[in-house]
């Protein structure tokens, strides 16, 4: 059994904790640097990336988290969490600067605030058919060392770079737990 943290400064924390528990592991809400050092992996949830960034700085966690990621802490960022992980953000400053992708915040536009769509998965273990997008970012570019795990039409929506996993959609909101299981089993 692994201990998986969910950053709980802001955003959609509970549903991630439930998925972790459902997959037979221990989920803990993370609010301090001390809690950060007691986990096998971390989920950065959806929410508002600018608010989460502010709280990471205010609570003095940003630099600790950055160095933990550099030394190999497995992290799964969903939606706002993917924005926090990205190295490049169009018209904005990056936060953790870890994942080699370029992102556009709210890139699907206001007409498509929230939608559900079938994905093409490039990995067999990920069997989730429909994905939920909420004011989602768009991945505009990925470096060659970043693996594309799922696409919506031609656009990557789930990517992996070694110990970092990120999705522009919300796998905690659909019934299937395959994405969480993949992160915990294969990456943590
Ligand atoms: N639009 C949000 C942001 O820019 C992300 C939305 C989400 O996490 N559901 O941070």
């Amino acid at each position: 059994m692994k201990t998986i943290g969910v950053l709980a400064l802001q955003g959609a924390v509970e549903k991630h904790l439930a998925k972790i528990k459902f997959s037979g592991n221990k989920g803990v809400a993370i609010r301090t640097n001390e809690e950060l050092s007691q986990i096998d992996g971390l989920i950065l949830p959806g929410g508002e990336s600018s608010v989460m960034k502010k709280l990471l700085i205010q609570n003095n966690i940003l630099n600790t988290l950055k160095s933990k990621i550099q030394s190999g802490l497995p992290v799964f960022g969903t939606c706002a969490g993917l924005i926090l992980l990205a190295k490049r953000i169009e018209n904005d400053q990056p936060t953790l600067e870890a994942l080699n992708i370029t992102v556009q915040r709210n890139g699907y536009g206001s007409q498509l605030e929230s939608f559900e769509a079938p994905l093409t998965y490039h990995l067999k273990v990920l069997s989730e058919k429909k994905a939920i997008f909420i004011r989602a970012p768009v991945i505009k570019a990925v470096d060659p060392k970043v693996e594309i795990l799922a696409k919506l039409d031609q656009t990557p929506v789930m990517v992996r770079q070694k110990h970092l996993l990120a999705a522009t959609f919300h796998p905690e909101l659909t019934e299937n737990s395959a994405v969480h299981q993949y992160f915990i089993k294969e990456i943590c």
Side-chain angles (χ1 to χ4, degrees):
M1 185 167 83
K2 289 171 182 164
T3 303
I4 307 298
V6 182
L7 187 71
L9 300 176
Q10 191 262 344
V13 177
E14 291 305 318
K15 294 247 160 77
H16 279 294
L17 290 172
K19 289 281 184 203
I20 296 164
K21 198 171 169 194
F22 182 80
S23 63
N25 294 279
K26 186 180 171 198
V28 286
I30 302 293
R31 296 187 185 86
T32 64
N33 282 327
E34 201 171 62
E35 289 163 340
L36 206 52
S37 54
Q38 295 158 4
I39 51 176
D40 300 306
L42 178 68
I43 293 178
L44 303 175
E48 205 53 50
S49 57
S50 49
V51 176
M52 271 192 249
K53 178 182 190 166
K54 218 180 267 172
L55 293 171
L56 279 170
I57 295 168
Q58 270 175 22
N59 290 277
N60 224 357
I61 303 177
L62 183 62
N63 289 333
T64 312
L65 181 53
K66 254 189 184 174
S67 68
K68 284 201 179 293
I69 291 175
Q70 269 160 18
S71 38
L73 176 72
V75 178
F76 177 24
T78 61
C79 206
L82 169 141
I83 298 169
L84 292 177
L85 280 178
K87 278 210 173 158
R88 293 170 300 274
I89 301 167
E90 289 187 349
N91 304 318
D92 212 339
Q93 296 303 312
T95 302
L96 294 164
E97 302 176 84
L99 180 61
N100 262 296
I101 59 172
T102 305
V103 200
Q104 182 189 15
R105 290 180 68 189
N106 301 311
Y108 290 97
S110 54
Q111 279 180 324
L112 284 177
E113 279 251 303
S114 157
F115 61 98
E116 204 171 318
L119 302 183
T120 313
Y121 283 100
H122 297 224
L123 261 193
K124 281 236 171 64
V125 288
L126 303 173
S127 56
E128 195 146 358
K129 295 220 166 44
K130 285 223 169 168
I132 296 175
F133 294 82
I134 305 169
R135 291 179 299 110
V138 173
I139 297 175
K140 302 293 258 191
V142 299
D143 280 23
K145 57 187 155 191
V146 177
E147 203 184 335
I148 296 169
L149 300 184
K151 280 184 180 174
L152 170 62
D153 301 324
Q154 293 310 307
T155 307
V157 293
M158 181 155 80
V159 295
R160 175 177 177 180
Q161 177 188 310
K162 294 188 198 141
H163 59 294
L164 304 176
L165 180 69
T168 58
F169 58 95
H170 287 262
E172 79 282 11
L173 295 180
T174 35
E175 251 172 57
N176 195 308
S177 293
V179 176
H180 285 79
Q181 273 173 30
Y182 170 74
F183 173 61
I184 298 169
K185 247 175 120 176
E186 306 291 328
I187 304 182
C188 291

